[in-house]
Amino acid sequence: MGRRSNPEGRMALLDHLKELRNRLFKSAIAVVLATVAGFMVYQPMLAALIKPIRDLNENEGRQATLNFDGVASSFDLMIQVSVFLGVIIASPVWLYQLWAFIVPGLHKKERRLALSFVAAAVPLFVGGVTLAWLVLPNAVRVLTEFTPSGGSNFISAQVYLSFVLRLLLAFGIAFLLPVVLFGLNLAGILRGAQLVKSWRITVFLVCLFAAMAAPGADAMSMFYLAGPMLALFFAAIGLCLLNDRRRDRRAAKRAAETEATADIATPGSELKNL
């Protein structure tokens, strides 16, 4: 159904489910193809991921080795790393599919406004992954400092790489929070005033997440990570408030026009009342 015959972009529940299925299918195809590309760069990527472990031996003078527990564990890790690379490489596609799923429910002006903001989703996701990558060596160093004196770190490759990939992906998704919040606001599900009311608990949760995901040698490292997340969160609140104000003005104008139209007597109504 075209936009002219359906200006509000309303869809039945079954149509929504079909649309969601199609978007998920396209996203999955993109991730699979990008995963194939991830296989090609697996070796240099693996070398970069285990570099913090090598630095412990070379720079810190500690005993730290990466161990593969089973016969097929190396292959399993190759699959995990390649899929992770596929998610990053295909992020423009699946982020666009997420955006395209929201678009039918938005008005023309809202779509134009949100398009510029959603265009920042890819650099935000990559920026979150990059930030986690920068703090990864410090996190590994601090966590291994709890090893008792004289002890050695025999680190399972499966556990280590799962930790690293979850860390990178968590930061990438966390940096997408403004896009998600603004999308919910455009869809009319979440208002900016609701976000303002919950800002205290949000600040606490962001700081807690930063402290757990990338612990540093001092308290400042937590704020270095929490700062960008909080800045993005409050930027999303500001955009949501502006959009709510514009939407409320449009609704008030529409209500005033409807009321003014209702006050005008329809032709022939005076004759019927005689």
Side-chain angles (χ1 to χ4, degrees):
M1 185 177 294
R3 174 62 64 176
R4 293 182 179 179
S5 59
N6 187 20
E8 295 185 359
R10 294 184 178 179
M11 300 172 62
L13 177 60
L14 183 59
D15 294 331
H16 274 295
L17 294 177
K18 290 181 179 178
E19 179 75 7
L20 179 61
R21 181 195 61 189
N22 293 335
R23 299 297 178 187
L24 291 176
F25 179 75
K26 294 177 181 178
S27 300
I29 292 297
V31 172
V32 170
L33 294 177
T35 299
V36 175
F39 274 111
M40 301 178 182
V41 295
Y42 167 72
Q43 292 297 336
M45 184 64 182
L46 180 65
L49 290 175
I50 65 177
K51 186 177 183 300
I53 301 296
R54 294 201 308 267
D55 291 342
L56 290 178
N57 295 321
E58 298 174 2
N59 302 330
E60 302 290 334
R62 303 187 202 170
Q63 293 293 329
T65 57
L66 203 64
N67 301 306
F68 294 86
D69 300 330
V71 176
S73 59
S74 300
F75 180 75
D76 292 340
L77 292 177
M78 180 183 295
I79 297 295
Q80 292 181 23
V81 174
S82 300
V83 171
F84 175 76
L85 291 174
V87 171
I88 295 180
I89 297 172
S91 59
V93 177
W94 58 263
L95 286 172
Y96 169 78
Q97 295 301 326
L98 175 63
W99 160 245
F101 180 71
I102 302 175
V103 164
L106 304 180
H107 296 283
K108 186 176 181 180
K109 291 183 179 179
E110 290 175 330
R111 296 199 310 272
R112 191 181 302 118
L113 173 66
L115 187 58
S116 59
F117 187 70
V118 173
V122 174
L124 282 175
F125 178 76
V126 176
V129 172
T130 302
L131 182 60
W133 181 273
L134 293 176
V135 302
L136 175 62
N138 190 43
V140 172
R141 179 178 60 82
V142 171
L143 291 175
T144 54
E145 284 180 350
F146 292 98
T147 304
S149 179
S152 300
N153 291 285
F154 295 96
I155 304 172
S156 169
Q158 185 79 27
V159 174
Y160 171 75
L161 289 179
S162 296
F163 162 76
V164 171
L165 296 181
R166 284 199 305 266
L167 178 68
L168 298 177
L169 192 60
F171 269 85
I173 294 176
F175 271 53
L176 288 176
L177 179 63
V179 176
V180 175
L181 293 178
F182 194 53
L184 293 176
N185 179 261
L186 287 175
I189 300 175
L190 188 65
R191 290 183 62 87
Q194 295 175 269
L195 296 175
V196 173
K197 292 180 180 178
S198 61
W199 73 269
R200 293 181 179 84
I201 184 62
T202 301
V203 170
F204 171 76
L205 292 176
V206 168
C207 292
L208 180 63
F209 173 80
M212 294 177 61
D218 52 13
M220 289 304 297
S221 61
M222 179 189 73
F223 295 103
Y224 291 149
L225 297 177
M229 297 182 192
L230 292 175
L232 293 172
F233 172 74
F234 286 111
I237 289 181
L239 289 174
C240 290
L241 291 174
L242 290 175
N243 186 59
D244 288 340
R245 186 178 303 175
R246 180 167 45 252
R247 181 180 294 164
D248 293 341
R249 284 200 302 263
R250 186 169 58 242
K253 181 180 179 180
R254 189 182 301 112
E257 292 175 352
T258 303
E259 184 177 354
T261 304
D263 291 340
I264 300 176
T266 57
S269 59
E270 295 86 350
L271 298 177
K272 293 180 181 180
N273 293 332
L274 295 178

